[in-house]
């Protein structure tokens, strides 16, 4: 393999010339206490660090930066900590999703503007994973992703608690009057016991696993709990490896290929991963020109069984998954369907990385003969209610609801739903189909995770725990229920969801992949002619940029001007 020469390094353009500008670059590096021996002729490695005091999932990143730096120094590189915008899922309003593309721009431009030869991307909390990989893909210099790792299992009086999933579950029990305020506070105390990402198979764990199957993390990295000592060791290994990736010139475009995206999709499906991964993986593929669309998800989902028995679709948590063999163990059980020849960031193929990977608990990582679910975790629906597609996670729904017909109960927006859902006079039964609109990329805005509409209180009290719910929103990966999501086009642009009336009959048939509003084409056209577009949410700022350029869910919600296209020119050094 040809290795780069020091004068071929991108950073050499800043440091290597003998002119006034490079004098400034060198003298200012010396100002920070570094001598020529520290950086001259060495790969400059950016550590893009999404630490923030308002992101609990990345609370350990300050010390992990030191671990990555240790590895970079050991391998003969020059590390630089470069903070980027953090997207802390629990706090940001209206939703972190609206800022995913902004972080991707932050990453891309940090790399482009500075003397960087390679990058370690430190992320984990939901949107940070796709955002950082999107930015690195657009910049296309050697990159490795260091997942934040899941937090430890939650605990309440000896009962295991899972992030998100158990919040929804016990909130429903509280609303039904089955647990009191004291218990609710105890659950609050015990559900998040360490730094790290949600430890259910939510969006963070799904996207980290997908990044590993894609080849952008070191083998096994995505399953290591954040608080395990294996985690800082993995961080240092990322630092060592990125230096060699620079010399080898192993770039995202060599790794993030069509076939590698298929591996990422199959990993996510076999984990019954978050439906959010569909949007993110399509956006990531769009950045690097790889082919990935909704139909491919449906096709690949049928090819792989669900083997990861992890909440919310299964029983266990990420810590159990790690002890059972983690992602390498699961992928080894799928080796015959994966594209094992894909090269990964450690320079080896996926097949080489998973060869011989063991599984130590057949209930956590099921065998092919005894899967959690015979097909993957996602079904893509089509029909006159979702001409450009919608998705459902059948593994997370009560099975009898997967073929269902019922009258619509329509909520015009989130506030309408919040005001009426628990009204005893609401005309709703367990057979109704709850519909929420104005929750898509433009309509909400930012497509928040409102797709798991609450069950009306009067039905909760009757023991109902699942209903068919339809929206143009997303759903947290830690949520569950017969929720049809990502309806495209969304209601805010006049999609059919905008035209449904309460009482209309809606029919869902997951096996046939159909979602139908049972009205005539003529009636649909009449309602469409009378539809009026809502007023836009923003008139200035980043929000306006979002409204003007965001694409629909089936296209990944990336900005149209960030997808593929011609490579951006390198900056002039003067
Ligand atoms: Fe950060 Fe769930 S809140 S991963």
């Amino acid at each position: 393999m040809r290795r780069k020469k020091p004068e071929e390094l991108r950073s050499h353009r800043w440091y290597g010339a003998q002119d006034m500008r490079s004098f400034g670059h060198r003298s200012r590096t010396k100002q920070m206490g570094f001598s020529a021996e520290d950086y001259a002729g060495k790969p400059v490695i950016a550590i893009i660090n999404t630490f923030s005091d308002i992101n609990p999932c990345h609370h350990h990143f300050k010390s992990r930066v030191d671990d990555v730096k240790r590895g970079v120094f050991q391998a003969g590189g020059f590390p630089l900590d470069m903070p980027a915008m953090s997207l802390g899922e629990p706090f940001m309003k209206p939703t972190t999703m609206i800022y995913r593309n902004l972080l991707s721009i932050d990453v891309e431009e940090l790399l482009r503007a500075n003397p960087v030869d390679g990058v370690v991307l430190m992320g984990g909390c939901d949107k940070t994973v796709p955002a950082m990989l999107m930015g690195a893909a657009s910049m296309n210099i050697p990159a490795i992703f260091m997942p934040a790792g899941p937090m430890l299992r939650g605990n309440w009086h000896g009962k295991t608690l899972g992030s998100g999933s158990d919040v929804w579950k016990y909130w429903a029990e509280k609303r039904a009057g089955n647990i009191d305020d004291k218990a609710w506070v105890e659950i609050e105390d015990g559900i998040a016991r360490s730094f790290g990402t949600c430890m259910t198979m939510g969006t963070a764990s799904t996207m980290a696993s997908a990044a590993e199957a894609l080849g952008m993390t070191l083998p096994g990295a995505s399953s290591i709990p954040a608080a395990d000592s294996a985690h800082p060791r993995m961080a240092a290994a990322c630092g060592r490896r990125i230096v060699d990736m620079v010399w080898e010139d192993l770039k995202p475009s060599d790794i993030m290929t069509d076939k590698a995206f298929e591996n990422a999709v199959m990993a996510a499906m076999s984990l019954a991963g978050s439906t959010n991964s569909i949007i993110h993986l399509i956006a990531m593929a769009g950045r690097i020109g790889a082919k990935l669309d909704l139909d491919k998800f449906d096709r690949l989902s049928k090819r792989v069984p669900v083997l990861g028995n992890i909440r919310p679709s299964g029983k266990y948590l990420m810590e159990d998954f790690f002890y059972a063999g983690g992602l390498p163990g699961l992928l080894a059980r799928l080796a015959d369907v994966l594209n094992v020849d894909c090269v990964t960031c450690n320079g080896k193929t996926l097949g080489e990385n998973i060869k011989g990977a063991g599984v130590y608990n057949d209930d956590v990582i099921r065998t092919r003969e005894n899967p959690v679910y015979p097909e993957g975790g996602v079904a893509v629906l089509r029909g006159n209610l979702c001409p450009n597609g919608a998705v459902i996670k059948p593994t997370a729904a009560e099975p009898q609801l997967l073929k269902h017909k019922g009258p619509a109960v329509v909520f015009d927006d989130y506030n309408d739903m919040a005001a009426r859902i628990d009204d005893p006079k609401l005309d709703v039964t367990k057979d109704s189909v709850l519909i929420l609109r104005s929750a898509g990329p433009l309509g909400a805005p930012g497509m928040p995770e409102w797709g798991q509409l609450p069950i009306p209180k009067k039905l909760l009290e009757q023991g109902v725990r699942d209903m068919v719910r339809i929206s143009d929103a997303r759903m947290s990966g830690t949520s569950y229920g017969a929720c049809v999501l990502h309806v495209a086009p969304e209601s805010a642009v006049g999609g059919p969801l905008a035209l449904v009336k309460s009482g209309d009959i809606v029919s869902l048939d997951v096996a046939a992949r159909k979602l139908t509003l049972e009205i005539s084409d003529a009636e649909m056209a009449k309602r469409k002619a009378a539809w009026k577009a809502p007023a836009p949410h923003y008139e200035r700022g980043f929000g306006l940029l979002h409204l003007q350029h965001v694409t629909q869910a089936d296209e990944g919600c990336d900005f149209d001007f960030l997808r593929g296209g011609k490579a951006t020119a390198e900056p002039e050094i003067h």
Side-chain angles (χ1 to χ4, degrees):
M1 181 189 301
R2 182 183 180 276
R3 288 173 75 87
K4 264 190 181 159
K5 299 193 181 83
E7 56 275 21
E8 292 173 302
L9 291 172
R10 186 172 176 270
S11 58
H12 185 77
R13 296 170 54 223
W14 276 258
Y15 284 125
Q18 294 306 323
D19 56 18
M20 191 190 72
R21 288 291 166 210
S22 52
F23 167 88
H25 303 145
R26 288 190 298 267
S27 67
R28 292 301 180 150
T29 303
K30 286 176 177 169
Q31 182 184 9
M32 295 186 283
F34 296 108
S35 310
E37 287 75 14
D38 289 310
Y39 66 87
K42 297 184 176 183
V44 176
I45 304 300
I47 303 169
I48 298 201
N49 169 17
T50 47
F51 170 85
S52 161
D53 274 338
I54 196 70
N55 190 341
C57 308
H58 298 185
H59 201 60
H60 51 317
F61 274 9
K62 277 188 182 171
S63 66
R64 289 299 178 275
V65 168
D66 291 338
D67 298 316
V68 177
K69 280 187 175 176
R70 169 163 53 97
V72 173
F73 279 129
Q74 284 168 356
F78 179 53
L80 294 171
D81 179 11
M82 292 189 187
M85 181 184 195
S86 197
L87 307 179
E89 197 66 28
F91 297 100
M92 292 187 82
K93 309 293 176 201
T95 160
T96 50
M97 183 64 187
I98 204 166
Y99 297 112
R100 183 198 66 183
N101 298 342
L102 184 59
L103 173 57
S104 81
I105 293 173
D106 191 358
V107 169
E108 179 182 347
E109 301 305 331
L110 263 177
L111 296 177
R112 177 166 295 115
N114 286 298
V116 172
D117 297 302
V119 55
V120 177
L121 306 158
M122 293 177 55
C125 194
D126 291 19
K127 314 303 181 292
T128 59
V129 185
M132 299 185 96
L133 287 166
M134 287 159 74
S138 292
M139 186 54 199
N140 202 28
I141 60 172
I144 192 166
F145 185 75
M146 193 218 81
M151 67 177 103
L152 299 175
R153 293 185 200 100
N155 188 290
W156 176 48
H157 295 178
K159 287 194 187 72
T160 298
L161 295 176
S163 311
S165 306
D166 279 318
V167 181
W168 323 127
K169 179 177 146 186
Y170 287 108
W171 180 237
E173 296 306 328
K174 186 165 186 294
R175 289 170 67 228
N178 296 335
I179 62 167
D180 61 15
D181 288 346
K182 179 170 172 285
W184 184 241
V185 172
E186 288 166 355
I187 291 168
E188 188 178 294
D189 289 340
I191 200 163
R193 291 178 47 238
S194 78
F195 46 78
T197 53
C198 293
M199 75 319 235
T200 39
M201 190 45 68
T203 304
S205 297
T206 307
M207 288 309 299
S209 303
E212 180 172 332
L214 185 64
M216 291 300 291
T217 78
L218 292 178
S222 65
S223 316
I224 303 171
D228 194 293
S229 67
H231 198 271
R233 295 197 298 269
M234 179 271 292
C238 289
R240 285 190 292 272
R241 176 59 196 153
I242 188 66
V243 176
D244 271 339
M245 286 174 75
V246 171
W247 292 126
E248 294 164 12
D249 200 25
L250 183 59
K251 299 188 294 298
S253 57
D254 302 313
I255 297 170
M256 297 168 68
T257 60
D258 291 4
K259 294 284 179 204
F261 272 102
E262 291 183 0
N263 290 337
V265 171
M266 287 190 272
M269 296 297 104
S270 190
L271 290 162
S274 161
T275 45
N276 287 326
S277 65
I278 301 171
I279 295 176
H280 298 321
L281 285 168
I282 288 175
M284 286 159 57
R287 288 296 183 96
I288 204 128
K291 291 191 200 74
L292 185 61
D293 59 19
L294 278 180
D295 291 331
K296 205 175 214 183
F297 270 90
D298 199 62
R299 233 177 17 254
L300 292 172
S301 184
K302 287 178 183 153
R303 204 195 283 178
V304 289
V306 175
L307 300 184
N309 190 9
I310 306 170
R311 296 186 198 186
S313 294
K315 181 173 162 193
Y316 297 97
L317 294 174
M318 286 302 288
E319 200 178 330
D320 308 297
F321 185 54
F322 176 60
Y323 302 142
L327 193 71
L330 180 135
L331 294 180
R333 290 195 160 168
L334 295 172
D336 58 314
V337 292
L338 294 170
N339 302 305
V340 289
D341 293 336
C342 291
V343 70
T344 72
C345 65
N346 71 346
K348 297 188 176 148
T349 64
L350 181 70
E352 288 170 325
N353 287 342
I354 62 175
K355 193 160 182 233
V359 172
Y360 311 106
N361 184 328
D362 283 339
D363 195 34
V364 180
I365 302 175
R366 294 286 187 86
T367 61
R368 295 283 279 276
E369 296 71 37
N370 181 33
V372 182
Y373 200 80
E375 283 186 1
V378 158
V380 175
L381 307 170
R382 302 272 178 186
N384 69 347
L385 194 48
C386 54
N388 294 345
V391 303
I392 186 169
K393 190 171 176 181
T395 52
E398 288 187 4
Q400 80 279 4
L401 293 172
L402 298 177
K403 188 170 166 76
H404 181 85
K405 194 182 273 204
V409 175
V410 179
F411 301 102
D412 278 328
D413 57 29
Y414 187 87
N415 290 338
D416 180 32
M417 180 192 73
R420 292 196 294 129
I421 192 82
D422 287 340
D423 185 340
K425 294 198 285 297
L426 184 70
D427 187 11
V428 66
T429 72
K430 68 177 179 31
D431 296 324
S432 302
V433 173
L434 303 179
I435 291 195
L436 173 66
R437 55 190 171 214
S438 307
L442 286 92
M447 209 180 173
E449 293 180 335
W450 295 339
Q452 186 194 28
L453 280 72
I455 306 289
K457 193 170 176 198
K458 68 178 177 187
L459 298 181
L460 278 178
E461 287 163 354
Q462 293 165 22
V464 177
R465 290 293 181 271
D466 198 4
M467 295 173 73
V468 174
R469 293 161 264 182
I470 301 173
S471 72
D472 42 15
R474 295 175 300 113
M475 175 172 91
S476 162
T478 61
S479 300
Y480 50 85
C483 303
V484 176
L485 310 158
H486 310 182
V487 167
E490 65 173 304
S491 59
V493 298
L497 201 63
L499 313 177
V500 187
K501 293 182 176 171
S502 286
D504 286 347
I505 299 299
V506 175
S507 149
L508 169 69
D509 185 343
V510 175
R513 303 296 197 253
K514 287 299 241 188
L515 180 66
T516 312
L517 178 62
E518 298 201 345
I519 62 172
S520 67
D521 292 349
E523 174 64 16
M524 186 84 91
K526 195 171 119 204
R527 293 185 191 182
K528 176 80 200 222
W531 177 78
K532 287 194 178 47
H537 283 278
Y538 300 106
E539 292 182 359
R540 67 166 299 280
F542 177 74
L544 181 61
L545 187 75
H546 172 86
L547 294 184
Q548 289 172 337
H549 294 286
V550 73
T551 56
Q552 290 287 295
D554 58 307
E555 298 174 301
C557 298
D558 200 2
F559 289 167
D560 49 12
F561 63 88
L562 291 173
R563 290 188 296 184
K566 253 171 89 176
T568 304
E570 283 280 344
E572 298 289 335
I573 312 293
H574 51 55

